[in-house]
Amino acid sequence: MPELPEVEVVRRGLARWVTGRTVEDVDVLDVRSLRRHVDGVEDFRGNVTGARVTDVVRRGKFLWMILEDPGGPRSTPSTAPSTALMAHLGMSGQLLIEEPDAPLEKHLKVRLRLSAATDADGTPLPADLRFVDQRIFGGMFVTDLEPTPDGRPGGLGGGSLPLIPRQAAHIARDPLDPAFSAESFHRRLRERKTSLKRALLDQGLISGIGNIYADEALWAARLHYARPTDTLRRPDTLRIVEAVTTVMQRALEAGGTSFDSLYVNVNGASGYFARDLEAYGRAGQPCRRCASAGRTTLLRREAFMNRSSFLCPFCQPRPRNARS
């Protein structure tokens, strides 16, 4: 499943290629990809056709395009947008920008025709936004926006609207969000009385962190996944937040982590951060940090929540009061 850096790569691509353009036509090739739009295909078409995309926003792994329809009943030029087109990528969803005459993908589900536009250098932009999904766990739907509880922007995007789709309102902010508060995270972390990795995977506490980046951040911060959260001091929390942020920024620079040919960014290019992982998937291989210090320590794989945790037993010693 795509993790936060993968979704942010897609958001940045959409922001560049789609923001400011109007959806001129909608072609639904598989209604299963609209199952979250409970009012059906025609209502989806009616809400999206003619709408202008004013921003592309992300909170955690939730991604949405803010829609503006000056001529419709939902909004006027003097009011804030009230709806968004959400794209849930699921396990294999892809959002691709293509020329209209490009061959149709085998698993193409929804096709949006966009208004003409040019890049900064005057190059015409492709006019198709295609949602492709082999496993059909993802989908698209239109939803209402509501005020954010803290009055801050709904998520990371180009604007500052304090609005968020209700489906994403329960999701905590992530470390790449300018409105993320490390101090608030520290307080809530200590109140949880759970293990550190469980807390990092709790999307209601901190969003966007999946198994891969949790293991990478814990390795970078030299913290064991079973460390009790109520024993964390403020410097420990700041260390893990810094590690998560650094790991995700590195992944963004590389285009995300791709173990599956199904993950591609908005232009169809796979991510390459998997080549630079320090812990995840490297059980039985030497810890590079130990090797640089002249030690030979093999990374371990341990069972965790029906998944796996990868760690260095020297850099990340198991605490005596460990919590699973």
Side-chain angles (χ1 to χ4, degrees):
M1 178 176 290
E3 296 203 42
L4 183 150
E6 282 79 8
V7 181
E8 175 60 14
V9 167
V10 173
R11 188 202 69 79
R12 293 181 181 185
L14 289 174
R16 175 189 174 192
W17 295 90
V18 177
T19 300
R21 303 175 75 178
T22 298
V23 180
E24 296 185 337
D25 194 18
V26 177
D27 187 12
V28 179
L29 291 87
D30 192 332
V31 298
R32 292 176 296 176
S33 290
L34 297 187
R35 65 186 179 278
R36 293 178 177 85
H37 191 87
V38 295
D39 291 328
V41 173
E42 290 309 313
D43 185 82
F44 179 85
R45 284 199 184 100
N47 278 284
V48 176
T49 304
R52 178 173 171 267
V53 179
T54 62
D55 197 7
V56 185
V57 187
R58 178 194 56 74
R59 182 183 285 209
K61 303 177 189 179
F62 283 75
L63 180 70
W64 63 93
M65 290 167 267
I66 295 178
L67 301 180
E68 180 183 74
D69 181 13
R74 289 177 174 267
S75 62
T76 69
S78 61
T79 63
S82 60
T83 59
L85 173 59
M86 292 199 75
H88 180 58
L89 299 181
M91 294 290 291
S92 59
Q94 303 169 6
L95 286 165
L96 305 177
I97 292 289
E98 299 279 10
E99 294 290 354
D101 58 355
L104 300 183
E105 292 78 7
K106 180 180 180 181
H107 301 287
L108 176 62
K109 306 302 180 185
V110 182
R111 183 184 187 187
L112 306 183
R113 180 66 57 84
L114 305 175
S115 59
T118 58
D119 210 341
D121 61 0
T123 303
L125 298 179
D128 269 11
L129 173 59
R130 301 180 181 182
F131 180 73
V132 179
D133 190 4
Q134 177 177 329
R135 298 170 184 165
I136 322 181
F137 292 137
M140 304 182 85
F141 59 98
V142 177
T143 186
D144 292 330
L145 293 167
E146 60 184 42
T148 55
D150 59 4
R152 306 292 297 277
L156 184 60
S160 57
L161 281 177
L163 300 172
I164 189 170
R166 62 176 179 79
Q167 292 85 350
H170 66 289
I171 298 296
R173 296 188 183 275
D174 63 75
L176 298 184
D177 188 327
F180 176 81
S181 169
E183 181 59 31
S184 174
F185 174 61
H186 174 67
R187 290 196 305 268
R188 298 185 65 198
L189 195 61
R190 285 182 56 85
E191 292 169 358
R192 285 303 169 97
K193 300 186 186 302
T194 186
S195 67
L196 180 53
K197 186 172 179 179
R198 280 182 181 270
L200 292 177
L201 297 177
D202 183 348
Q203 303 299 298
L205 182 63
I206 183 171
S207 67
I209 304 175
N211 205 41
I212 297 174
Y213 294 110
D215 281 356
E216 289 297 296
L218 289 167
W219 181 89
R222 298 173 181 253
L223 291 169
H224 194 280
Y225 67 85
R227 172 78 177 268
T229 55
D230 52 330
T231 68
L232 290 170
R233 300 164 300 168
R234 187 169 282 98
D236 297 323
T237 300
L238 294 177
R239 197 159 83 246
I240 191 65
V241 169
E242 181 180 358
V244 168
T245 304
T246 300
V247 166
M248 288 185 172
Q249 288 174 338
R250 286 180 56 218
L252 280 171
E253 292 171 2
T257 304
S258 178
F259 292 105
D260 190 336
S261 61
L262 292 173
Y263 164 66
V264 294
N265 69 21
V266 75
N267 288 313
S270 294
Y272 294 99
F273 186 57
R275 302 175 183 177
D276 299 321
L277 295 176
E278 297 288 356
Y280 186 87
R282 298 190 64 242
Q285 299 180 47
C287 169
R288 296 186 182 117
R289 182 166 50 213
C290 287
S292 66
R295 294 185 300 271
T296 301
T297 312
L298 300 183
L299 296 170
R300 288 181 186 169
R301 173 189 174 276
E302 297 182 2
F304 174 80
M305 292 176 59
N306 297 320
R307 289 183 265 188
S308 299
S309 277
F310 296 87
L311 73 155
C312 172
F314 183 89
C315 299
Q316 301 165 264
R318 186 178 183 86
R320 287 175 294 180
N321 54 348
R323 290 198 180 109
S324 58

